[in-house]
Tab-separated table of all heavy atoms in Angstrom:
chain	number	residue	atom	x	y	z
A	386	ARG	N	-6.060	10.061	1.080
A	386	ARG	CA	-5.108	10.625	0.201
A	386	ARG	C	-5.710	11.169	-1.082
A	386	ARG	O	-5.329	12.150	-1.704
A	386	ARG	CB	-3.937	9.688	-0.088
A	386	ARG	CG	-3.063	9.342	1.062
A	386	ARG	CD	-2.083	10.503	1.404
A	386	ARG	NE	-1.083	10.709	0.373
A	386	ARG	CZ	0.108	10.092	0.340
A	386	ARG	NH1	0.413	9.224	1.326
A	386	ARG	NH2	0.926	10.430	-0.613
A	387	ASN	N	-6.749	10.395	-1.535
A	387	ASN	CA	-7.410	10.781	-2.802
A	387	ASN	C	-8.336	11.975	-2.598
A	387	ASN	O	-8.399	12.835	-3.482
A	387	ASN	CB	-8.220	9.575	-3.313
A	387	ASN	CG	-8.853	9.838	-4.704
A	387	ASN	OD1	-8.243	10.300	-5.605
A	387	ASN	ND2	-10.227	9.551	-4.705
A	388	ILE	N	-9.044	12.053	-1.545
A	388	ILE	CA	-10.053	13.128	-1.308
A	388	ILE	C	-9.435	14.179	-0.390
A	388	ILE	O	-9.757	14.237	0.737
A	388	ILE	CB	-11.351	12.547	-0.675
A	388	ILE	CG1	-11.875	11.405	-1.582
A	388	ILE	CG2	-12.429	13.624	-0.538
A	388	ILE	CD1	-13.130	10.692	-1.047
A	389	GLY	N	-8.595	14.998	-0.936
A	389	GLY	CA	-8.060	16.132	-0.200
A	389	GLY	C	-7.054	15.836	0.866
A	389	GLY	O	-6.676	16.762	1.643
A	390	GLY	N	-6.620	14.576	0.998
A	390	GLY	CA	-5.803	14.227	2.185
A	390	GLY	C	-4.333	14.139	1.915
A	390	GLY	O	-3.543	13.743	2.777
A	391	THR	N	-3.856	14.446	0.696
A	391	THR	CA	-2.354	14.395	0.450
A	391	THR	C	-1.831	15.773	0.870
A	391	THR	O	-2.117	16.732	0.191
A	391	THR	CB	-2.082	14.011	-1.016
A	391	THR	OG1	-2.584	12.647	-1.248
A	391	THR	CG2	-0.561	14.116	-1.315
A	392	ASN	N	-0.950	15.741	1.836
A	392	ASN	CA	-0.352	16.975	2.347
A	392	ASN	C	1.132	16.996	1.840
A	392	ASN	O	1.707	15.949	1.629
A	392	ASN	CB	-0.424	16.971	3.834
A	392	ASN	CG	0.142	18.374	4.396
A	392	ASN	OD1	1.299	18.458	4.667
A	392	ASN	ND2	-0.848	19.204	4.680
A	393	HIS	N	1.709	18.138	1.705
A	393	HIS	CA	3.017	18.244	1.275
A	393	HIS	C	4.046	17.470	2.210
A	393	HIS	O	5.022	16.862	1.760
A	393	HIS	CB	3.483	19.696	1.199
A	393	HIS	CG	4.848	19.886	0.545
A	393	HIS	ND1	5.216	19.326	-0.666
A	393	HIS	CD2	6.012	20.528	0.994
A	393	HIS	CE1	6.495	19.663	-0.917
A	393	HIS	NE2	6.927	20.313	0.078
A	394	TYR	N	3.676	17.417	3.498
A	394	TYR	CA	4.496	16.628	4.425
A	394	TYR	C	4.572	15.135	4.087
A	394	TYR	O	5.591	14.432	4.216
A	394	TYR	CB	4.062	16.762	5.823
A	394	TYR	CG	4.367	18.176	6.413
A	394	TYR	CD1	3.365	19.130	6.770
A	394	TYR	CD2	5.678	18.496	6.737
A	394	TYR	CE1	3.636	20.345	7.235
A	394	TYR	CE2	5.932	19.801	7.270
A	394	TYR	CZ	4.976	20.624	7.491
A	394	TYR	OH	5.180	21.805	7.992
A	395	HIS	N	3.400	14.595	3.523
A	395	HIS	CA	3.351	13.247	3.121
A	395	HIS	C	4.348	13.023	1.948
A	395	HIS	O	5.094	11.986	1.954
A	395	HIS	CB	1.947	12.848	2.601
A	395	HIS	CG	0.871	12.985	3.706
A	395	HIS	ND1	-0.349	13.485	3.421
A	395	HIS	CD2	0.901	12.657	4.964
A	395	HIS	CE1	-1.019	13.404	4.523
A	395	HIS	NE2	-0.354	12.887	5.495
A	396	VAL	N	4.396	13.847	1.023
A	396	VAL	CA	5.275	13.769	-0.129
A	396	VAL	C	6.747	13.806	0.325
A	396	VAL	O	7.531	12.985	-0.092
A	396	VAL	CB	4.972	14.871	-1.133
A	396	VAL	CG1	5.977	14.835	-2.267
A	396	VAL	CG2	3.579	14.791	-1.683
A	397	LEU	N	7.002	14.732	1.144
A	397	LEU	CA	8.454	14.881	1.687
A	397	LEU	C	8.866	13.580	2.496
A	397	LEU	O	9.970	13.130	2.369
A	397	LEU	CB	8.583	16.100	2.539
A	397	LEU	CG	8.357	17.404	1.881
A	397	LEU	CD1	8.482	18.531	2.912
A	397	LEU	CD2	9.470	17.628	0.774
A	398	LEU	N	7.918	13.091	3.246
A	398	LEU	CA	8.244	11.944	4.159
A	398	LEU	C	8.441	10.722	3.299
A	398	LEU	O	9.349	9.935	3.526
A	398	LEU	CB	7.083	11.759	5.116
A	398	LEU	CG	7.263	10.560	6.093
A	398	LEU	CD1	8.589	10.631	6.880
A	398	LEU	CD2	6.112	10.534	7.110
A	399	GLU	N	7.633	10.502	2.289
A	399	GLU	CA	7.773	9.341	1.393
A	399	GLU	C	9.099	9.402	0.643
A	399	GLU	O	9.806	8.384	0.479
A	399	GLU	CB	6.583	9.275	0.413
A	399	GLU	CG	5.320	8.782	1.065
A	399	GLU	CD	4.106	8.779	0.206
A	399	GLU	OE1	4.105	9.468	-0.831
A	399	GLU	OE2	3.128	8.035	0.523
A	400	GLN	N	9.482	10.625	0.211
A	400	GLN	CA	10.808	10.789	-0.408
A	400	GLN	C	11.926	10.398	0.572
A	400	GLN	O	12.869	9.754	0.231
A	400	GLN	CB	11.003	12.164	-0.954
A	400	GLN	CG	10.079	12.546	-2.110
A	400	GLN	CD	10.132	14.021	-2.485
A	400	GLN	OE1	10.648	14.836	-1.687
A	400	GLN	NE2	9.478	14.347	-3.605
A	401	GLU	N	11.778	10.845	1.794
A	401	GLU	CA	12.824	10.555	2.798
A	401	GLU	C	12.952	9.102	3.131
A	401	GLU	O	14.074	8.580	3.340
A	401	GLU	CB	12.513	11.339	4.112
A	401	GLU	CG	13.701	11.656	5.010
A	401	GLU	CD	14.642	12.703	4.409
A	401	GLU	OE1	14.163	13.665	3.832
A	401	GLU	OE2	15.905	12.537	4.649
A	402	LEU	N	11.870	8.430	3.208
A	402	LEU	CA	11.824	6.975	3.549
A	402	LEU	C	12.360	6.181	2.309
A	402	LEU	O	13.096	5.159	2.569
A	402	LEU	CB	10.318	6.498	3.838
A	402	LEU	CG	9.840	7.091	5.186
A	402	LEU	CD1	8.329	6.877	5.288
A	402	LEU	CD2	10.573	6.468	6.343
A	403	ALA	N	12.040	6.557	1.112
A	403	ALA	CA	12.600	5.833	-0.056
A	403	ALA	C	14.119	5.973	-0.043
A	403	ALA	O	14.866	5.000	-0.206
A	403	ALA	CB	12.050	6.360	-1.332
A	404	ASP	N	14.578	7.139	0.315
A	404	ASP	CA	16.043	7.408	0.378
A	404	ASP	C	16.711	6.579	1.543
A	404	ASP	O	17.721	6.000	1.354
A	404	ASP	CB	16.303	8.877	0.593
A	404	ASP	CG	17.821	9.149	0.803
A	404	ASP	OD1	18.600	9.113	-0.202
A	404	ASP	OD2	18.228	9.357	2.016
A	405	LEU	N	15.964	6.497	2.704
A	405	LEU	CA	16.524	5.755	3.760
A	405	LEU	C	16.757	4.303	3.471
A	405	LEU	O	17.807	3.726	3.907
A	405	LEU	CB	15.484	5.780	4.937
A	405	LEU	CG	15.785	4.986	6.214
A	405	LEU	CD1	17.014	5.522	6.872
A	405	LEU	CD2	14.554	4.913	7.138
A	406	HIS	N	15.950	3.755	2.649
A	406	HIS	CA	16.110	2.245	2.310
A	406	HIS	C	16.706	2.012	0.911
A	406	HIS	O	16.785	0.927	0.465
A	406	HIS	CB	14.710	1.578	2.367
A	406	HIS	CG	14.201	1.519	3.810
A	406	HIS	ND1	14.791	0.830	4.768
A	406	HIS	CD2	13.165	2.200	4.336
A	406	HIS	CE1	14.123	1.013	5.893
A	406	HIS	NE2	13.114	1.823	5.669
A	407	GLY	N	17.098	3.148	0.211
A	407	GLY	CA	17.763	2.974	-1.095
A	407	GLY	C	16.738	2.462	-2.156
A	407	GLY	O	17.071	1.803	-3.116
A	408	LYS	N	15.433	2.838	-2.017
A	408	LYS	CA	14.406	2.401	-2.978
A	408	LYS	C	13.869	3.541	-3.845
A	408	LYS	O	14.117	4.699	-3.501
A	408	LYS	CB	13.200	1.747	-2.161
A	408	LYS	CG	13.626	0.509	-1.364
A	408	LYS	CD	14.083	-0.569	-2.204
A	408	LYS	CE	14.407	-1.826	-1.363
A	408	LYS	NZ	14.981	-2.961	-2.285
A	409	GLU	N	13.147	3.253	-4.868
A	409	GLU	CA	12.667	4.279	-5.769
A	409	GLU	C	11.550	5.067	-5.112
A	409	GLU	O	11.328	6.210	-5.417
A	409	GLU	CB	12.223	3.640	-7.138
A	409	GLU	CG	13.327	3.007	-7.919
A	409	GLU	CD	12.732	2.418	-9.187
A	409	GLU	OE1	11.480	2.154	-9.235
A	409	GLU	OE2	13.608	2.042	-10.117
A	410	ALA	N	10.739	4.341	-4.276
A	410	ALA	CA	9.499	5.001	-3.849
A	410	ALA	C	9.135	4.482	-2.489
A	410	ALA	O	9.633	3.421	-1.970
A	410	ALA	CB	8.329	4.758	-4.837
A	411	ALA	N	8.241	5.141	-1.793
A	411	ALA	CA	7.636	4.745	-0.545
A	411	ALA	C	6.180	5.062	-0.493
A	411	ALA	O	5.686	5.908	-1.299
A	411	ALA	CB	8.355	5.453	0.649
A	412	LEU	N	5.398	4.405	0.368
A	412	LEU	CA	4.032	4.718	0.415
A	412	LEU	C	3.608	4.692	1.907
A	412	LEU	O	3.974	3.738	2.674
A	412	LEU	CB	3.211	3.609	-0.274
A	412	LEU	CG	1.693	3.814	-0.359
A	412	LEU	CD1	1.413	5.099	-1.307
A	412	LEU	CD2	1.044	2.595	-1.013
A	413	LEU	N	2.942	5.760	2.370
A	413	LEU	CA	2.625	5.884	3.738
A	413	LEU	C	1.226	5.282	4.058
A	413	LEU	O	0.301	5.274	3.231
A	413	LEU	CB	2.449	7.381	4.157
A	413	LEU	CG	3.743	8.216	4.255
A	413	LEU	CD1	3.457	9.635	4.496
A	413	LEU	CD2	4.675	7.639	5.441
A	414	PHE	N	1.177	4.750	5.338
A	414	PHE	CA	-0.148	4.217	5.850
A	414	PHE	C	-0.274	4.840	7.200
A	414	PHE	O	0.679	5.379	7.824
A	414	PHE	CB	-0.112	2.718	5.931
A	414	PHE	CG	-0.056	2.044	4.601
A	414	PHE	CD1	1.106	1.864	3.847
A	414	PHE	CD2	-1.177	1.541	4.004
A	414	PHE	CE1	1.197	1.224	2.729
A	414	PHE	CE2	-1.145	0.900	2.750
A	414	PHE	CZ	0.031	0.719	2.048
A	415	ASN	N	-1.503	4.707	7.828
A	415	ASN	CA	-1.686	5.276	9.156
A	415	ASN	C	-1.197	4.405	10.328
A	415	ASN	O	-1.343	4.793	11.430
A	415	ASN	CB	-3.106	5.777	9.307
A	415	ASN	CG	-4.106	4.730	9.020
A	415	ASN	OD1	-3.846	3.524	9.025
A	415	ASN	ND2	-5.378	5.168	8.574
A	416	SER	N	-0.721	3.168	9.975
A	416	SER	CA	-0.082	2.359	11.060
A	416	SER	C	0.712	1.274	10.340
A	416	SER	O	0.532	0.935	9.149
A	416	SER	CB	-1.141	1.717	12.007
A	416	SER	OG	-1.835	0.638	11.199
A	417	GLY	N	1.671	0.687	11.082
A	417	GLY	CA	2.395	-0.450	10.558
A	417	GLY	C	1.489	-1.647	10.375
A	417	GLY	O	1.764	-2.465	9.480
A	418	TYR	N	0.472	-1.807	11.200
A	418	TYR	CA	-0.467	-2.900	11.016
A	418	TYR	C	-1.146	-2.720	9.654
A	418	TYR	O	-1.239	-3.739	8.870
A	418	TYR	CB	-1.555	-2.898	12.102
A	418	TYR	CG	-2.376	-4.123	12.139
A	418	TYR	CD1	-2.212	-5.094	13.126
A	418	TYR	CD2	-3.455	-4.334	11.224
A	418	TYR	CE1	-2.985	-6.268	13.160
A	418	TYR	CE2	-4.233	-5.365	11.249
A	418	TYR	CZ	-4.014	-6.357	12.194
A	418	TYR	OH	-4.788	-7.536	12.306
A	419	MET	N	-1.551	-1.523	9.328
A	419	MET	CA	-2.236	-1.306	8.091
A	419	MET	C	-1.288	-1.536	6.884
A	419	MET	O	-1.628	-2.085	5.833
A	419	MET	CB	-2.906	-0.006	8.029
A	419	MET	CG	-3.669	0.309	6.796
A	419	MET	SD	-5.024	-0.806	6.530
A	419	MET	CE	-6.243	-0.277	7.775
A	420	SER	N	-0.080	-1.084	7.032
A	420	SER	CA	0.894	-1.242	5.869
A	420	SER	C	1.107	-2.673	5.633
A	420	SER	O	1.199	-3.080	4.399
A	420	SER	CB	2.212	-0.476	6.111
A	420	SER	OG	2.744	-0.852	7.322
A	421	ASN	N	1.268	-3.539	6.566
A	421	ASN	CA	1.417	-4.938	6.414
A	421	ASN	C	0.181	-5.542	5.843
A	421	ASN	O	0.143	-6.344	4.835
A	421	ASN	CB	1.791	-5.677	7.684
A	421	ASN	CG	3.282	-5.714	7.876
A	421	ASN	OD1	4.093	-5.678	6.979
A	421	ASN	ND2	3.679	-5.784	9.135
A	422	TRP	N	-0.973	-5.259	6.515
A	422	TRP	CA	-2.201	-5.921	6.109
A	422	TRP	C	-2.634	-5.564	4.667
A	422	TRP	O	-2.961	-6.443	3.858
A	422	TRP	CB	-3.364	-5.489	7.107
A	422	TRP	CG	-4.699	-6.030	6.795
A	422	TRP	CD1	-5.174	-7.214	7.207
A	422	TRP	CD2	-5.741	-5.368	5.976
A	422	TRP	NE1	-6.492	-7.376	6.780
A	422	TRP	CE2	-6.861	-6.325	6.066
A	422	TRP	CE3	-5.868	-4.207	5.373
A	422	TRP	CZ2	-8.045	-6.075	5.441
A	422	TRP	CZ3	-7.083	-3.913	4.725
A	422	TRP	CH2	-8.073	-4.819	4.720
A	423	ALA	N	-2.546	-4.304	4.371
A	423	ALA	CA	-2.977	-3.828	3.050
A	423	ALA	C	-1.967	-4.305	1.959
A	423	ALA	O	-2.417	-4.710	0.844
A	423	ALA	CB	-3.168	-2.315	3.004
A	424	SER	N	-0.702	-4.172	2.223
A	424	SER	CA	0.263	-4.523	1.150
A	424	SER	C	0.390	-5.973	0.873
A	424	SER	O	0.332	-6.382	-0.283
A	424	SER	CB	1.679	-3.974	1.613
A	424	SER	OG	1.589	-2.531	1.755
A	425	LEU	N	0.493	-6.795	1.929
A	425	LEU	CA	0.494	-8.217	1.736
A	425	LEU	C	-0.693	-8.775	1.109
A	425	LEU	O	-0.751	-9.601	0.212
A	425	LEU	CB	0.865	-8.938	3.030
A	425	LEU	CG	2.307	-8.894	3.437
A	425	LEU	CD1	2.492	-9.346	4.887
A	425	LEU	CD2	3.208	-9.708	2.552
A	426	GLY	N	-1.892	-8.209	1.618
A	426	GLY	CA	-3.166	-8.681	1.111
A	426	GLY	C	-3.403	-8.377	-0.353
A	426	GLY	O	-3.903	-9.197	-1.111
A	427	THR	N	-2.923	-7.179	-0.810
A	427	THR	CA	-3.084	-6.678	-2.125
A	427	THR	C	-2.112	-7.559	-3.070
A	427	THR	O	-2.526	-8.097	-4.094
A	427	THR	CB	-2.809	-5.239	-2.246
A	427	THR	OG1	-3.719	-4.554	-1.415
A	427	THR	CG2	-2.853	-4.776	-3.723
A	428	LEU	N	-0.868	-7.612	-2.684
A	428	LEU	CA	0.157	-8.317	-3.498
A	428	LEU	C	-0.268	-9.860	-3.683
A	428	LEU	O	-0.264	-10.385	-4.790
A	428	LEU	CB	1.548	-8.241	-2.963
A	428	LEU	CG	2.083	-6.776	-3.011
A	428	LEU	CD1	3.389	-6.726	-2.156
A	428	LEU	CD2	2.414	-6.291	-4.438
């Protein structure tokens, strides 16, 4: 996402997902495994 990999579809999808769950923001990962591993590990 940092090196040329943020596409407009990513932005639209994150907005749609935030709305789906009634949250301020969303963040995409390339798998559900990675979203759990990276998010829980970081927090």
Side-chain angles (χ1 to χ4, degrees):
R386 291 286 292 272
N387 183 51
I388 304 177
T391 295
N392 187 275
H393 186 54
Y394 288 112
H395 298 141
V396 177
L397 294 176
L398 181 53
E399 286 175 340
Q400 292 172 350
E401 202 74 36
L402 292 167
D404 174 78
L405 176 65
H406 296 292
K408 299 298 185 184
E409 292 178 347
L412 189 66
L413 287 175
F414 295 81
N415 50 26
S416 72
Y418 191 104
M419 183 59 75
S420 53
N421 271 334
W422 181 85
S424 300
L425 284 168
T427 299
L428 293 170

